[in-house]
Amino acid sequence: IAFYVDDIAAAGDYLKKAGVETFLGPIPVSEGPAAGQSILYFLTPWGTQMELISYPKGMAYEKESAVKLWSPKDQSK
């Protein structure tokens, strides 16, 4: 399960201050169609790995594709 956040660094800091174990991140994606997103993995208190994801300025594929993936920023649907 992934949760979209606008500011992945702030969200990661919040998790750490709350005592949540974080690892592998934030990882910025700088190449390929997903360039522009960042990911941070964390472990829930019950032991499930989840992730935070952020791409506040969009992803690279959006510059050339007429078709856009669903975005949590699009509240019209």
Side-chain angles (χ1 to χ4, degrees):
I1 296 174
F3 297 95
Y4 182 84
V5 296
D6 290 323
D7 185 336
I8 201 161
D13 288 344
Y14 175 84
L15 290 176
K16 290 174 191 172
K17 287 178 185 173
V20 175
E21 181 182 357
T22 63
F23 51 99
L24 294 178
I27 302 167
V29 179
S30 58
E31 296 182 10
Q37 72 175 314
S38 294
I39 303 165
L40 182 140
Y41 295 97
F42 66 97
L43 195 62
T44 66
W46 56 91
T48 302
Q49 180 179 316
M50 295 189 180
E51 70 181 61
L52 301 178
I53 187 167
S54 185
Y55 44 94
K57 296 180 182 175
M59 289 187 274
Y61 87 91
E62 295 175 322
K63 293 178 178 76
E64 298 179 10
S65 176
V67 178
K68 306 279 189 271
L69 297 174
W70 175 84
S71 172
K73 297 180 285 181
D74 181 5
Q75 299 298 315
S76 66
K77 296 179 183 176

